[in-house]
Amino acid sequence: MVNWGSKETFRQPDHLSKNCFNLSCLQLTNRFFFLIQPFQVRLYVKKKMAAEIKPVPVLATSATATRSNQKKPILLHKIEGYEETVNQAVILPGEDGVVAVCDDRSVRVWLKRDSGQFWPSICHYMPSGATSVCFTKQVWRVFVGQENGTISEFVLAEDYNSLTHKRDYLSHHARVTQVHHASTPSWILSVGRDKWFQYYCAVSGKRLGGHICPAWAYCLEFDFASRHVFIGDASGQITMLKLDPQPDLATSNTTTEQQAVGVQQITVFKGHSGPVRSLAWDAGHKFLFSGSEDKGIIAWDIGGQQGTAYELQGHKNKVMAVCFSPIGRKLVSGGEDAMLWIWNMKAKRIETSEWTESSTCQRCSRPFFWNLRGMFDQRQLGLRQHHCRQCGRAVCDDCSPHRSVLPAIGYEYEVRVCVECNKSLTEADRVSLAVCQEAKHSILWLHLDEERARLLTLGHDRIMKIWDVSSLLKNDA
């Protein structure tokens, strides 16, 4: 029998150093012992060392330096207490109050008390999950979209202590993603996951028309003056419609029996590679802003009628919400990267350059790796293709070693720039045109009270935050 504790079993050979030992392994097979070839395991003895780790110096660009000196939103309040997902919330205009809807079927009106804390003054439960909400103070109406496709209309008491049910609109047969009330004319517009856009008369309760979209409809915006509506869907498209009410042709039956009447499709905007989750409208300058899951924001110049579009790149994750303030022309955006961006839309911006395709570098003429003929003629391996964000040319890595922010084009973080474009950039070209603030929660929804300069952010953590953005929404900003 082998004595595992004996010195002979694990005897150190003379030809090994002190830092090595010889390890023998035994295997039992059919009641016999077979000696397996020894192998050496080398042990390295660490010496005590003293080292100082110094942080890598970060070179502050003009954009980061300017952004650090800018005024930022100030967090005022937090509203929490939900156990399920809060889908949407709106600030009561001119009041320290919030109306919020939740997957737990509740509609709650939160008011600020003398203690400085928010407490619910109303907690009303719907037949199904409450998914969207809209409040119009002129007529004291609250419209709540539900998971079952129904939109319920309520009258909110002026003391914010009671909700009185008035009417139900059987608009959809799936989740209502957004509802909008136009006081003039008195219309109720809504979109849902059944791909339908519907609008009803809030006075008579009759359906005025509808339109079916190519995919789930997530958001909408309405221009009161021209009666145009914009619908963002899951395919990344934005459909522009002209509303022409036809109550005689529009049936009030279920959506499956309804016809697409009362609307005229004008055009379709295609620019996003992911679902469009939020829209905002600048009625004064006829600009439409769209936020998408592709991490980008596009400003569409509708009034110019030239197809001009400006990209805004700052988020590192899905953009879930955008809202616009005509005071100072500021666009507010939030997303799943837990960052809040305030974009200055008064500044002069440039359209993003289209990327050109080429088989060789448009700076040094060396071939890219798929250009077999060019590699054979020049007797060299192909290179990987890149694009300069400033000029859009196809370039190799050697011809585009520089990184720079390009705020005028919409890039608020450093992107690839070729050598020639980097020489033409000045410090003024790198000055930031946006303010960035960490919201410390993944943003799902935004709502802006322009009268009091209050911004509400709703996160996936079921917490609502109210921010003071008065210093950012100034006309001279």
Side-chain angles (χ1 to χ4, degrees):
M1 180 177 291
V2 178
N3 185 4
W4 296 98
S6 65
K7 296 181 179 179
E8 297 296 330
T9 307
F10 296 101
R11 183 177 59 85
Q12 177 177 339
D14 296 336
H15 66 278
L16 296 180
S17 63
K18 294 182 179 180
N19 292 338
C20 303
F21 68 90
N22 188 21
L23 179 61
S24 301
C25 299
L26 296 179
Q27 179 181 7
L28 179 61
T29 307
N30 296 328
R31 298 182 182 181
F32 292 96
F33 292 95
F34 294 91
L35 184 64
I36 299 180
Q37 181 68 27
F39 61 92
Q40 297 178 4
V41 178
R42 186 171 299 274
L43 298 179
Y44 295 93
V45 180
K46 288 187 176 181
K47 297 181 180 180
K48 294 183 179 180
M49 299 178 64
E52 181 183 358
I53 301 177
K54 297 182 179 180
V56 179
V58 179
L59 298 178
T61 62
S62 297
T64 56
T66 305
R67 191 178 298 131
S68 62
N69 297 328
Q70 290 176 334
K71 296 181 180 180
K72 296 185 177 182
I74 301 174
L75 180 62
L76 300 178
H77 307 287
K78 286 185 181 181
I79 303 175
E80 48 191 355
Y82 287 95
E83 296 183 357
E84 296 190 31
T85 302
V86 186
N87 293 305
Q88 291 183 12
V90 295
I91 301 176
L92 295 173
E95 299 288 340
D96 286 324
V98 175
V99 182
V101 293
C102 180
D103 276 345
D104 62 2
R105 301 184 294 112
S106 69
V107 180
R108 304 186 191 185
V109 178
W110 298 81
L111 294 179
K112 183 181 177 181
R113 306 301 180 180
D114 295 336
S115 61
Q117 301 295 322
F118 280 78
W119 292 90
S121 62
I122 300 174
C123 185
H124 180 86
Y125 284 91
M126 308 296 295
S128 63
T131 58
S132 57
V133 63
C134 174
F135 174 66
T136 306
K137 190 174 182 179
Q138 290 85 349
V139 292
W140 293 90
R141 294 291 190 272
V142 177
F143 299 90
V144 180
Q146 301 180 54
E147 187 72 39
N148 60 10
T150 303
I151 298 176
S152 298
E153 180 182 354
F154 295 91
V155 178
L156 178 62
E158 296 186 8
D159 59 359
Y160 304 105
N161 286 322
S162 66
L163 274 177
T164 304
H165 180 265
K166 182 180 179 181
R167 184 186 290 123
D168 286 335
Y169 303 87
L170 304 179
S171 302
H172 305 270
H173 60 82
R175 181 188 182 101
V176 180
T177 53
Q178 188 168 350
V179 59
H180 181 83
H181 177 234
S183 56
T184 306
S186 186
W187 291 349
I188 302 171
L189 304 92
S190 62
V191 290
R193 288 188 178 178
D194 57 356
K195 304 181 182 180
W196 274 89
F197 158 75
Q198 305 279 14
Y199 70 110
Y200 283 72
C201 177
V203 178
S204 63
K206 293 183 178 181
R207 179 176 181 260
L208 301 178
H211 176 81
I212 187 167
C213 300
W216 284 0
Y218 280 127
C219 50
L220 67 90
E221 269 296 335
F222 180 61
D223 181 30
F224 302 94
S226 62
R227 293 192 176 185
H228 285 104
V229 66
F230 305 91
I231 304 168
D233 59 43
S235 67
Q237 298 182 4
I238 302 174
T239 305
M240 180 179 179
L241 305 174
K242 173 74 173 181
L243 301 188
D244 181 19
Q246 298 181 13
D248 296 334
L249 297 178
T251 176
S252 59
N253 295 328
T254 59
T255 307
T256 55
E257 301 176 1
Q258 292 174 351
Q259 302 296 324
V261 297
V263 298
Q264 176 187 357
Q265 180 171 324
I266 304 300
T267 186
V268 175
F269 301 102
K270 299 179 181 179
H272 289 288
S273 59
V276 179
R277 299 307 299 258
S278 182
L279 295 173
W281 176 245
D282 177 6
H285 296 81
K286 305 298 181 183
F287 264 81
L288 178 70
F289 305 96
S290 58
S292 171
E293 291 187 7
D294 61 6
K295 308 177 187 178
I297 302 170
I298 298 180
W300 309 85
D301 185 3
I302 307 298
Q305 300 181 355
Q306 300 295 327
T308 307
Y310 306 99
E311 295 187 21
L312 305 176
Q313 301 288 344
H315 289 277
K316 300 296 184 180
N317 209 328
K318 299 176 182 178
V319 180
M320 301 299 292
V322 293
C323 58
F324 181 77
S325 172
I327 304 175
R329 295 197 66 200
K330 298 298 177 62
L331 177 71
V332 185
S333 64
E336 293 187 353
D337 57 356
M339 301 301 293
L340 198 62
W341 284 85
I342 296 91
W343 308 83
N344 181 12
M345 300 311 300
K346 291 176 62 177
K348 183 180 179 180
R349 295 187 178 273
I350 305 173
E351 277 193 283
T352 305
S353 302
E354 293 187 7
W355 287 5
T356 60
E357 297 298 331
S358 176
S359 58
T360 59
C361 175
Q362 294 181 316
R363 291 298 185 188
C364 66
S365 300
R366 288 187 293 176
F368 294 126
F369 63 85
W370 62 83
N371 186 1
L372 301 179
R373 181 61 182 268
M375 289 189 292
F376 179 79
D377 292 342
Q378 299 187 28
R379 300 294 191 273
Q380 69 171 36
L381 294 176
L383 305 175
R384 183 180 177 184
Q385 177 181 274
H386 301 281
H387 284 88
C388 172
R389 283 8 180 222
Q390 175 76 9
C391 63
R393 287 187 174 91
V395 293
C396 64
D397 185 66
D398 292 339
C399 294
S400 58
H402 303 284
R403 302 294 183 271
S404 175
V405 294
L406 302 171
I409 302 180
Y411 292 103
E412 291 291 338
Y413 52 83
E414 292 187 343
V415 291
R416 183 182 294 271
V417 179
C418 67
V419 176
E420 297 298 326
C421 290
N422 186 71
K423 293 179 180 178
S424 64
L425 291 175
T426 63
E427 290 300 318
D429 297 330
R430 295 184 173 93
V431 176
S432 176
L433 300 178
V435 177
C436 181
Q437 169 70 30
E438 186 177 359
K440 296 188 183 299
H441 67 163
S442 178
I443 297 176
L444 175 67
W445 173 262
L446 292 174
H447 186 258
L448 180 64
D449 180 11
E450 301 173 13
E451 180 182 349
R452 303 176 64 240
R454 296 292 185 266
L455 177 68
L456 181 143
T457 62
L458 173 60
H460 288 283
D461 54 1
R462 304 181 295 276
I463 297 177
M464 293 178 284
K465 296 182 180 181
I466 299 178
W467 307 76
D468 179 9
V469 291
S470 58
S471 61
L472 300 171
L473 304 183
K474 295 179 180 180
N475 286 315
D476 56 350

